[in-house]
Amino acid sequence: MHELSICQSLLNQVSNLAAEHNASAVENIYLQVGPLSGVEPELLQSVFPFASANTVAEQAKLIISSMPIRVHCRTCSGESEATINRLVCGLCGDWHTELIAGDELLLERVEMRTDH
Amino acid sequence: MCDTCGCNITPGNKHLIQANGKLATTESGAAAVDVLTSLLSENDHQAMHNRDHFDKHQVLALNLMSSPGSGKTALLESTIDALKDEFNIAVIEGDLETENDAERIRAKGVTAIQITTGSACHLDAHMVHDALHHLNLAPLDIVFIENVGNLVCPASFDLGHHYNITLLSVTEGDDKPAKYPVMFRATDLMLLSKSDLLAVLDDFDPAKAEHYLRQLANAAPVIPLSAKTGDGLALWIDWLRKQIKQHKHRLASGERITPDIQSDGQHYHSGNHDNKLTPHHHAHDHNHEHVKL
């Protein structure tokens, strides 16, 4: 359950941003969490209310999106979609690939209320 | 992963996520800031700082990960026996509770710092940094960081080490790489431990374990070994010797490395197709009390 420590780290970043912009409350937090990030979006959602209690993001909505896993093949130079435990090239079947999307673990955007 | 902010933006996904970092206003009048930093940026920053410490003293740091009971401590005991006359070794032990593993290492005449994580299921860069305060890196060649036995959580945290080593004991399933892809995708070396038991276990096929690792696009070497009988140990010891030598050589030519999975991302990072990482600049010359216990 490392999602709690990741959530706390997220909230530190969000709180710093809110302070920087003199925000009174954070309304929406947008994240990109890829299937290969090692983080479960549902667990992140479920720990968020506990981690955010008594912070500026207490009322915030956590909006998590994800993009499909894609690989670039070093053998045929093609690009294809892959699955979490089969990162082989979808075109030529070779396993000498590089991940180009799917391991994102990003704080993308924060929307907050500023009273000035 | 980007070495500056720890983000995961690559040419492959940057068209999907574009931030301008500017303040905008939403329809409801709220202020919106596009950020694009890693959720783990605090940890990653601390990890880079730890790596600076290791690199400054030319110490190779290895992160050992596996399920509980796969033989990490036993492997370290045999490794220390084989290498202690040749290299100066220290071990950072991560466990939820007890100093048992650290005591086993100390019994071999090697410094061991125990981190007890309480309920935390993984080590993070801050915990390792605290441990470094109790370790005099100057005389060392290699630091093994024995992570908490867990194939899930430790995979997400950069500790400031140079290579990931994953043990898969033959008493587990040979499909573990397929079941725990995040961990095994990031490994730089897979050790099939307790190989002496292969003779009595007909359901573990080392070739299959390797196949599942390759399916994760991972070219890491695979070494079956037994800390108990010593079979295969020579290959592991040779690998270590080679890495220690290469690490010192690399640092001498100003080259720095981060664990494999990140340098891959770095390779893809826009505008930088050189695998050599630019040293991260921030003040790390503060006065740490590096006390030898």
Side-chain angles (χ1 to χ4, degrees):
Chain A
M1 241 315 247
H2 54 298
E3 279 77 4
L4 182 58
S5 35
I6 288 170
C7 206
Q8 282 160 344
S9 171
L10 160 71
L11 282 158
N12 285 345
Q13 288 184 53
V14 169
S15 301
N16 289 342
L17 271 174
E20 206 178 297
H21 294 281
N22 295 316
S24 54
V26 176
E27 294 183 340
N28 295 307
I29 301 170
Y30 292 85
L31 306 181
Q32 273 285 346
V33 177
L36 271 168
S37 67
V39 171
E40 274 307 312
E42 281 178 24
L43 285 177
L44 212 50
Q45 285 287 9
S46 67
V47 297
F48 183 75
F50 300 98
S52 65
N54 300 317
T55 73
V56 70
E58 197 166 32
Q59 305 292 327
K61 237 199 292 178
L62 194 60
I63 299 140
I64 305 178
S65 56
S66 177
M67 61 180 76
I69 298 170
R70 289 191 71 79
V71 294
H72 169 262
C73 181
R74 295 184 209 190
T75 306
C76 76
S77 297
E79 246 188 65
S80 55
E81 265 190 40
T83 59
I84 188 157
N85 54 14
R86 212 166 164 274
L87 301 173
V88 299
C89 175
L91 307 168
C92 75
D94 199 275
W95 60 263
H96 294 90
T97 64
E98 278 160 337
L99 193 77
I100 50 178
D103 66 342
E104 297 76 20
L105 186 56
L106 293 172
L107 170 59
E108 198 175 6
R109 182 183 172 90
V110 179
E111 291 174 359
M112 49 203 153
R113 207 163 48 236
T114 49
D115 299 326
H116 53 85
Chain B
M1 196 181 288
C2 158
D3 196 42
T4 316
C5 63
C7 74
N8 311 56
I9 304 161
T10 69
N13 63 17
K14 73 173 178 190
H15 63 288
L16 301 167
I17 23 175
Q18 278 290 10
N20 54 23
K22 300 257 168 63
L23 198 63
T25 310
T26 64
E27 280 175 22
S28 65
V33 189
D34 288 334
V35 200
L36 285 192
T37 53
S38 166
L39 296 192
L40 285 166
S41 61
E42 287 180 345
N43 183 78
D44 293 343
H45 193 259
Q46 181 66 64
M48 283 190 270
H49 176 86
N50 293 352
R51 202 152 26 238
D52 282 342
H53 279 302
F54 288 125
D55 288 351
K56 190 175 161 189
H57 295 285
Q58 303 204 329
V59 175
L60 179 71
L62 302 176
N63 179 21
L64 261 68
M65 297 180 286
S66 76
S67 308
S70 64
K72 292 186 293 299
T73 314
L75 176 70
L76 285 178
E77 287 172 316
S78 325
T79 306
I80 291 164
D81 283 342
L83 288 178
K84 72 173 170 188
D85 296 333
E86 213 173 317
F87 298 110
N88 289 314
I89 305 168
V91 178
I92 296 172
E93 285 283 349
D95 280 295
L96 270 64
E97 295 294 346
T98 84
E99 289 242 343
N100 295 352
D101 286 358
E103 279 161 17
R104 283 171 64 183
I105 299 299
R106 286 177 198 136
K108 294 280 173 192
V110 158
T111 303
I113 310 296
Q114 180 77 51
I115 302 174
T116 44
T117 61
S119 57
C121 47
H122 59 271
L123 292 179
D124 66 29
H126 296 92
M127 295 180 203
V128 170
H129 185 248
D130 289 345
L132 289 181
H133 281 184
H134 300 288
L135 200 59
N136 181 14
L137 289 175
L140 297 177
D141 299 299
I142 188 161
V143 170
F144 293 100
I145 305 168
E146 184 180 332
N147 217 311
V148 177
N150 178 344
L151 284 177
V152 186
C153 310
S156 294
F157 295 86
D158 184 358
L159 305 179
H161 56 284
H162 301 99
Y163 290 115
N164 288 318
I165 293 161
T166 309
L167 278 77
L168 168 55
S169 69
V170 303
T171 55
E172 304 168 57
D174 51 22
D175 59 350
K176 278 279 162 80
K179 285 182 175 166
Y180 299 91
V182 177
M183 165 78 59
F184 284 93
R185 192 172 83 83
T187 200
D188 297 294
L189 175 68
M190 182 165 84
L191 301 175
L192 302 178
S193 60
K194 306 189 186 181
S195 67
D196 52 300
L197 295 175
L198 276 173
V200 288
L201 294 169
D202 55 6
D203 47 359
F204 188 101
D205 181 353
K208 266 193 193 158
E210 184 169 343
H211 169 76
Y212 286 120
L213 184 70
R214 301 291 173 246
Q215 294 283 295
L216 301 176
N218 191 336
V222 179
I223 304 176
L225 52 74
S226 164
K228 200 171 181 178
T229 64
D231 281 344
L233 216 58
L235 286 171
W236 154 244
I237 298 297
D238 283 349
W239 186 88
L240 287 171
R241 278 195 189 105
K242 197 175 127 200
Q243 299 309 325
I244 293 170
K245 199 176 152 191
Q246 279 185 356
H247 189 58
K248 290 186 195 293
H249 185 73
R250 244 190 329 256
L251 288 170
S253 59
E255 201 182 330
R256 311 272 309 269
I257 54 159
T258 56
D260 201 34
I261 209 78
Q262 297 185 35
S263 53
D264 231 32
Q266 174 73 13
H267 177 69
Y268 255 96
H269 206 279
S270 163
N272 185 357
H273 294 281
D274 187 345
N275 264 330
K276 287 185 183 180
L277 299 183
T278 315
H280 176 70
H281 297 294
H282 71 117
H284 79 283
D285 283 331
H286 53 260
N287 291 318
H288 280 165
E289 291 293 321
H290 283 181
V291 187
K292 192 166 180 138
L293 288 186

